Amino acid sequence: MDSNCGGQNATILEKLLVYHCNNKDIENALGCLETTGVKEPITLNEHVAASLVYCFCSRGEYDEAAGIISALEERKVQHGQSIYRAQVLGSAANGDIDRLKELIQIYAPGDQVMLQALVELSEVAPEHLDVVLDRILPRGVMDLAASCRRPIKHLVELGQFEGAEKLLMKTVQLSENSTDNEPVICISPSVIVLTELLKHQKIGRAHV
């Protein structure tokens, strides 16, 4: 196993571990954690644990993820929302719909986490996007709109036009100053144009 972690200090080791975890490479991630003979070995802090939990969950290795959480508790390391967020995002990355539904019900993640979960899920189980979309309840439309640009663009690039459109509609609000209650789109016009353009391209290809 070549973790590329030898000879590094704790800061570099932690960054390498996170990189490997984001790529679902648990072998090399653990190699960074277990590296010996360095001046500053990496420690199991909340950030490291969250990365490992995400990685294990994204691979469907939930018992191992639970073991990381137990190790934190045994060491009396305080942890917050990052561990719960890692479980939600990891389960979404694994396409485990039943577990994702359960975690959403237990932890009630905020919109930012749900948007991240939407992107993760779009890569592996796009047919189940509604599991996440239906739970995004904007507490502030303007704030949500700013966060939706990248996920919408990602969905469009994947050809998930229906999901992109549904997410776009989450950023619609009724104008308080309009007598006709016209909807106001609070998102980058470029994203809307891109969405419509690719939809028309898809329709055009279908008729060829």
Side-chain angles (χ1 to χ4, degrees):
M1 176 178 63
D2 180 15
S3 65
N4 299 316
C5 292
Q8 308 292 349
N9 61 32
T11 300
I12 300 300
L13 283 173
E14 187 168 320
K15 289 180 179 179
L16 283 170
L17 181 143
V18 171
Y19 170 81
H20 291 311
C21 285
N22 288 340
N23 286 284
K24 303 183 181 182
D25 184 355
I26 193 62
E27 289 79 12
N28 278 325
L30 291 175
C32 291
L33 185 63
E34 297 165 356
T35 296
T36 59
V38 294
K39 187 174 182 179
E40 299 177 73
I42 195 171
T43 59
L44 186 64
N45 56 39
E46 181 180 356
H47 186 233
V48 168
S51 294
L52 290 170
V53 167
Y54 166 82
C55 188
F56 277 127
C57 288
S58 71
R59 295 159 57 96
E61 298 170 355
Y62 303 119
D63 288 342
E64 289 81 354
I68 296 296
I69 299 173
S70 296
L72 277 183
E73 294 172 349
E74 289 172 3
R75 290 168 171 78
K76 302 187 185 302
V77 176
Q78 296 295 322
H79 60 84
Q81 296 296 318
S82 63
I83 299 298
Y84 309 133
R85 182 168 60 247
Q87 293 181 75
V88 171
L89 298 181
S91 297
N94 188 44
D96 191 332
I97 304 305
D98 290 337
R99 183 175 175 83
L100 181 59
K101 287 180 179 179
E102 180 182 357
L103 291 171
I104 290 173
Q105 184 67 32
I106 294 172
Y107 298 126
D111 290 336
Q112 296 295 328
V113 177
M114 296 303 284
L115 286 172
Q116 289 179 265
L118 185 69
V119 171
E120 297 278 10
L121 195 61
S122 68
E123 297 282 356
V124 293
E127 69 276 15
H128 293 295
L129 291 182
D130 283 346
V131 171
V132 176
L133 281 167
D134 291 344
R135 295 300 297 266
I136 296 177
L137 303 173
R139 296 157 182 81
V141 174
M142 294 297 292
D143 293 336
L144 180 63
S147 302
C148 280
R149 291 171 187 150
R150 186 173 180 182
I152 287 176
K153 183 175 183 293
H154 186 80
L155 291 173
V156 169
E157 290 172 345
L158 288 175
Q160 302 300 326
F161 303 113
E162 183 177 351
E165 184 177 5
K166 287 182 178 181
L167 182 54
L168 181 64
M169 294 309 296
K170 295 287 186 177
T171 68
V172 174
Q173 66 178 356
L174 295 179
S175 172
E176 296 177 354
N177 300 321
S178 172
T179 55
D180 298 326
N181 283 332
E182 296 178 353
V184 176
I185 304 294
C186 303
I187 202 166
S188 170
S190 62
V191 172
I192 301 172
V193 172
L194 180 60
T195 303
E196 292 301 317
L197 177 62
L198 291 182
K199 284 171 67 177
H200 286 302
Q201 288 179 342
K202 182 182 180 183
I203 293 172
R205 289 196 298 269
H207 289 295
V208 173

